[in-house]
Amino acid sequence: MYHQLSKVTGRLVAATNLQSPLFPVAPIALQRVDPPAIQYTTAHLSTVTEASACSAPGPKRLIPGTNIPYAPVNETIKKRQELFQKDNDLPIFLKGGPFDSILYRFTMLLCVVGLIGIGHTIYIHAVPRKQ
């Protein structure tokens, strides 16, 4: 019996139309083929054209699968990258400066207030009131 996905429920149901098995019924054995040899990056495999390689200093990074180079990075983004990659023993969420420190402390305060609220709610429901 053949099955198909129902368009309404998304579950497997018995096929409503007649389906015949795929031919040939007996599968043909696959032919043995040697795997392709691994070719490492060489000059004749490079996707960088000669004109784009000579126009700017340094290697150009290309968008994968294309011959199009990435857009140039803005100077402010480069400065922010240097700031966040600096090894100054600060966690990443505090490397943005004093504003990040204020946001971190405010978030921790909200977490503590939320936990106190949860504890209060549990206490209210667990302990009956005196009448």
Side-chain angles (χ1 to χ4, degrees), residues 24-126:
V25 175
I28 300 172
L30 294 175
Q31 302 295 323
R32 289 266 183 207
V33 178
D34 292 332
I38 297 175
Q39 296 180 352
Y40 296 97
T41 305
T42 59
H44 71 280
L45 293 176
S46 177
T47 57
V48 178
T49 60
E50 293 299 323
S52 66
C54 296
S55 63
K60 286 197 171 214
R61 295 191 52 205
L62 301 178
I63 297 174
T66 66
N67 200 18
I68 303 169
Y70 284 108
V73 179
N74 193 350
E75 192 63 35
T76 57
I77 293 176
K78 284 184 180 181
K79 287 179 183 177
R80 297 285 283 185
Q81 285 176 341
E82 289 174 6
L83 173 74
F84 281 95
Q85 292 175 357
K86 198 183 315 179
D87 187 20
N88 54 4
D89 295 331
L90 282 176
I92 191 71
F93 53 88
L94 294 178
K95 285 192 176 189
F99 186 68
D100 279 355
S101 179
I102 292 170
L103 284 177
Y104 172 72
R105 289 190 175 115
F106 181 69
T107 304
M108 288 298 112
L109 175 71
L110 287 178
C111 289
V112 169
V113 168
L115 286 173
I116 291 171
I118 290 170
H120 181 267
T121 303
I122 291 173
Y123 177 77
I124 293 286
H125 290 291

Side-chain angles (χ1 to χ4, degrees), residues 4-7 9-13:
Q4 65 185 20
L5 288 175
S6 170
K7 292 180 182 175
T9 62
R11 296 182 178 190
L12 281 178
V13 293

